[in-house]
């Protein structure tokens, strides 16, 4: 019987994993480990036919050769993002990478809208004051309605299109930029010709583009300089699409009034790990956490029951497909 090894197993994945294992008990054996694919695990692959991992930091390209030497030519990544892989290095050894391009776009879209509401209505400040029994009102708590805002959506794929529909449902005017406009969104939003045009007159910029090399720092200081003072920036996409240092400078000069960061360009060592009572080694992340105008969340926009189920089922289906047919549906380096 063929054998699949699942690395980086989290507690929240256990129930979904057991369900998949039970459904395929007659087809394949599944081995689970909380450890990552590195170190001694690279020496214990001789009886493994396929692997799925949930890597967030850079994947050592030297490992591709080890996998190939053990007859493993496919990695199923349990996320949409695959920027942690050196795809040219994978291609050199014949390793295919697959991802989960859509595990719950509605979850991420709803989270982006939720964070917008929190910034617009200053709920983090209200909650902080109430926690210390300060029930006074002041201008720092005075908010706005979503329907009074102009929303800019960068990227109108599976997630961005849903975010646009939700904002439209609130009565907001929604604008968008995408290299491939979606005609089905007519009546929901208005497309503009460039990112520069998008940021010129909006109140909220929400990011929904992939973290590809082409998109690195696509939202940078030059782009943010085009905005009118008071812009809110929401990043529930990938950390690399937003230049964090530029964001901080624009927060300091008032161009950006607030930001909600669910993905951070150097999040790997921190997000999903407990750093309680330990000093952070990343001074930029420490600074963001200390700011009153920034909301930080640890890459949880997707984190719903539906998403976790799909993030388990789809990669395991991909691994089984590759073992049996040497192909999978969501390979990113064909």
């Amino acid at each position: 019987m063929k054998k699949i090894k699942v690395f980086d197993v989290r507690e929240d994945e256990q129930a979904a994993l057991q369900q998949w294992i039970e459904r395929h008990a007659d087809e394949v054996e599944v081995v689970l480990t909380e450890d990552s694919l590195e170190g001694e695990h690279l020496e214990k692959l001789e009886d493994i036919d396929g692997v799925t991992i949930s890597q967030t930091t850079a994947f050592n390209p030297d490992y591709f050769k080890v996998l190939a030497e053990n007859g493993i030519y496919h990695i199923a990544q349990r996320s949409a993002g695959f920027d942690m892989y050196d795809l040219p290095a994978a291609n050199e050894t014949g390793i295919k990478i697959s991802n989960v391009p859509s595990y719950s776009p509605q979850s991420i879209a709803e989270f982006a809208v939720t964070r917008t509401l929190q910034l617009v209505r200053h709920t983090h400040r209200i909650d902080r004051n109430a926690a210390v029994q300060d029930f006074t009102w002041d201008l720092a708590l005075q908010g706005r309605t979503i329907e009074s805002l102009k929303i800019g959506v960068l990227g109108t794929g599976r997630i961005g299109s849903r975010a646009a529909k939700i904002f439209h449902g609130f009565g907001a005017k929604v604008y968008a930029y995408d290299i491939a406009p979606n005609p089905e969104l007519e009546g929901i939003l208005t497309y503009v010709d460039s990112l520069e045009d998008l940021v010129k007159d909006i109140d909220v910029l929400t990011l929904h583009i992939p973290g590809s090399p082409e998109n690195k720092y696509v939202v940078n200081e030059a782009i943010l300089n085009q905005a009118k003072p008071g812009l809110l920036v929401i990043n529930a996409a990938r950390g690399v699409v937003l230049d964090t240092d530029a964001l901080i400078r624009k927060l300091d000069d008032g161009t950006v009034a607030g930001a909600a960061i669910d993905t951070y360009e150097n999040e790997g060592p921190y997000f999903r790990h407990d750093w309680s009572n330990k000093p952070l080694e990343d001074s930029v992340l420490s600074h963001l956490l200390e700011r009153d105008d920034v909301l930080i969340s640890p890459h949880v926009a997707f984190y719903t029951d539906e998403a976790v189920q799909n993030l388990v089922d789809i990669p395991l289906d991909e691994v089984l497909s590759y073992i049996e047919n040497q192909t999978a549906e969501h390979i990113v380096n064909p």
Side-chain angles (χ1 to χ4, degrees):
M1 183 178 291
K2 299 295 185 179
K3 184 183 291 187
I4 295 172
K5 192 159 188 177
V6 183
F7 292 90
D8 311 302
V9 173
R10 304 190 309 264
E11 180 181 3
D12 57 80
E13 295 178 312
Q14 288 286 354
L17 283 165
Q18 292 305 323
Q19 292 171 16
W20 194 94
I21 290 170
E22 290 174 8
R23 291 197 303 270
H24 298 84
D26 295 334
E27 302 173 74
V28 64
E29 179 184 350
V30 179
V31 179
L32 309 179
T33 178
E34 297 178 3
D35 297 327
S36 297
L37 177 56
E38 58 186 6
E40 65 180 27
H41 292 287
L42 288 167
E43 302 172 3
K44 299 178 180 179
L45 295 172
E46 64 275 0
D47 63 339
I48 302 299
D49 300 288
V51 297
T52 170
I53 72 178
S54 185
Q55 186 112 356
T56 56
T57 56
F59 184 85
N60 189 331
D62 292 339
Y63 297 170
F64 293 132
K65 183 179 179 181
V66 179
L67 291 169
E69 289 172 349
N70 284 275
I72 300 171
Y73 290 94
H74 171 240
I75 301 173
Q77 171 71 21
R78 298 199 303 283
S79 71
F82 53 88
D83 51 316
M84 62 286 296
Y85 296 101
D86 182 335
L87 295 185
N91 289 334
E92 286 181 7
T93 49
I95 302 292
K96 301 300 182 183
I97 312 292
S98 66
N99 70 336
V100 188
S102 179
Y103 40 88
S104 183
Q106 187 70 17
S107 300
I108 300 171
E110 289 179 2
F111 191 86
V113 176
T114 297
R115 290 309 237 182
T116 303
L117 282 164
Q118 291 174 314
L119 287 174
V120 168
R121 294 305 306 270
H122 310 297
T123 57
H124 58 300
R125 292 171 179 156
I126 295 169
D127 292 341
R128 180 193 60 205
N129 289 356
V132 295
Q133 301 178 38
D134 178 358
F135 306 122
T136 59
W137 298 359
D138 60 54
L139 288 176
L141 305 184
Q142 184 172 309
R144 292 174 287 174
T145 60
I146 293 292
E147 70 175 1
S148 71
L149 303 179
K150 294 180 179 179
I151 308 295
V153 181
L154 175 57
T156 53
R158 297 180 181 91
I159 300 168
S161 61
R162 284 170 168 81
K165 291 174 182 177
I166 299 171
F167 280 119
H168 176 75
F170 273 99
K173 293 180 180 178
V174 185
Y175 301 86
Y177 172 66
D178 196 305
I179 57 174
N182 182 352
E184 295 180 4
L185 296 176
E186 183 176 354
I188 301 295
L189 55 77
T190 300
Y191 279 106
V192 298
D193 294 330
S194 68
L195 179 52
E196 289 82 357
D197 289 338
L198 181 66
V199 302
K200 281 180 180 177
D201 193 38
I202 56 174
D203 301 291
V204 178
L205 175 64
T206 182
L207 312 182
H208 301 290
I209 55 176
S212 63
E214 297 78 19
N215 287 337
K216 182 175 182 180
Y217 292 168
V218 69
V219 178
N220 51 40
E221 190 157 8
I223 292 297
L224 294 174
N225 281 336
Q226 305 297 315
K228 65 181 182 180
L231 179 69
L232 301 177
V233 177
I234 314 296
N235 188 11
R238 301 291 290 183
V240 72
V241 305
L242 175 63
D243 184 338
T244 310
D245 290 336
L247 173 69
I248 291 172
R249 289 192 290 272
K250 294 295 100 182
L251 284 162
D252 288 340
D253 72 16
T255 303
V256 177
I261 306 298
D262 185 60
T263 56
Y264 169 59
E265 55 185 308
N266 300 311
E267 70 184 50
Y270 302 102
F271 289 6
R272 285 176 47 184
H273 303 285
D274 186 357
W275 280 78
S276 301
N277 303 314
K278 294 186 291 186
L280 295 181
E281 298 168 0
D282 186 322
S283 60
V284 175
L285 180 58
S286 294
H287 177 72
L288 291 172
L289 288 165
E290 292 167 357
R291 297 189 70 111
D292 188 50
D293 51 6
V294 176
L295 304 179
I296 298 288
S297 53
H299 208 142
V300 292
F302 77 96
Y303 200 38
T304 61
D305 295 346
E306 175 188 25
V308 172
Q309 186 75 50
N310 289 334
L311 282 167
V312 166
D313 288 350
I314 294 172
L316 281 170
D317 289 345
E318 295 276 279
V319 176
L320 188 56
S321 173
Y322 202 90
I323 290 173
E324 295 177 342
N325 306 305
Q326 286 71 58
T327 187
E329 183 177 357
H330 302 299
I331 290 174
V332 300
N333 58 327

